[in-house]
Amino acid sequence: MIKFFLMVNKQGQTRLSRYYEHVEINKRTMLEAEVIKNCLSRSKDECSFIEYKDFKLVYRQYAALFIVVGIDQTENEMAVYELIHNFVEVLDKYFSRVSELDVSFSISEIHLL
């Protein structure tokens, strides 16, 4: 099961976060900081799957954006890795070369609706 979905830039700023389990706001900030630190500190030669606390992190980097998905121990990492890629392909089709600015703009637009 997916626990959360994050989009983060190279500076470690969260651009999109979506939680599928209840996590208190102050704990979200701490969780995001730790998760981002773990993913950004890894080299491109290292695996994109990380065992973290009681769940796993699956991440992919696309230009200046990192997409990180937190999953439980029973979830298939490769399926989530492919899900991330499909999500980015959809964004690319919609925005024709998605960028960090597109993500920020579309999220603020959704909140206005």
Side-chain angles (χ1 to χ4, degrees):
M1 183 171 124
I2 294 176
K3 295 178 176 266
F4 60 84
F5 184 95
L6 302 173
M7 290 183 83
V8 180
N9 66 12
K10 282 187 176 181
Q11 290 75 36
Q13 299 167 318
T14 303
R15 294 301 181 199
L16 169 71
S17 66
R18 177 71 179 175
Y19 288 82
Y20 299 99
E21 290 183 346
H22 175 73
V23 179
E24 294 176 21
I25 297 295
N26 58 347
K27 290 185 179 181
R28 286 183 185 189
T29 306
M30 291 180 357
L31 174 70
E32 288 176 21
E34 291 175 15
V35 165
I36 291 166
K37 184 179 137 197
N38 280 330
C39 293
L40 292 178
S41 66
R42 296 173 64 91
S43 72
K44 290 186 178 189
D45 298 331
E46 292 182 272
C47 180
S48 294
F49 311 140
I50 303 171
E51 296 279 336
Y52 179 76
K53 294 189 179 182
D54 62 337
F55 54 91
K56 299 179 205 174
L57 302 173
V58 179
Y59 72 94
R60 276 185 99 153
Q61 180 181 359
Y62 292 93
L65 285 176
F66 283 81
I67 299 176
V68 184
V69 180
I71 58 174
D72 62 18
Q73 296 291 339
T74 60
E75 191 67 51
N76 183 334
E77 298 97 340
M78 288 302 292
V80 175
Y81 193 72
E82 187 64 26
L83 172 76
I84 294 169
H85 183 69
N86 288 335
F87 177 72
V88 171
E89 283 185 348
V90 168
L91 290 177
D92 268 348
K93 292 284 186 198
Y94 184 77
F95 290 110
S96 65
R97 299 298 302 155
V98 68
S99 70
E100 181 181 343
L101 185 61
D102 294 327
V103 172
S104 298
F105 178 73
S106 65
I107 298 308
S108 63
E109 202 173 75
I110 290 169
H111 289 291
L112 291 175
L113 296 177

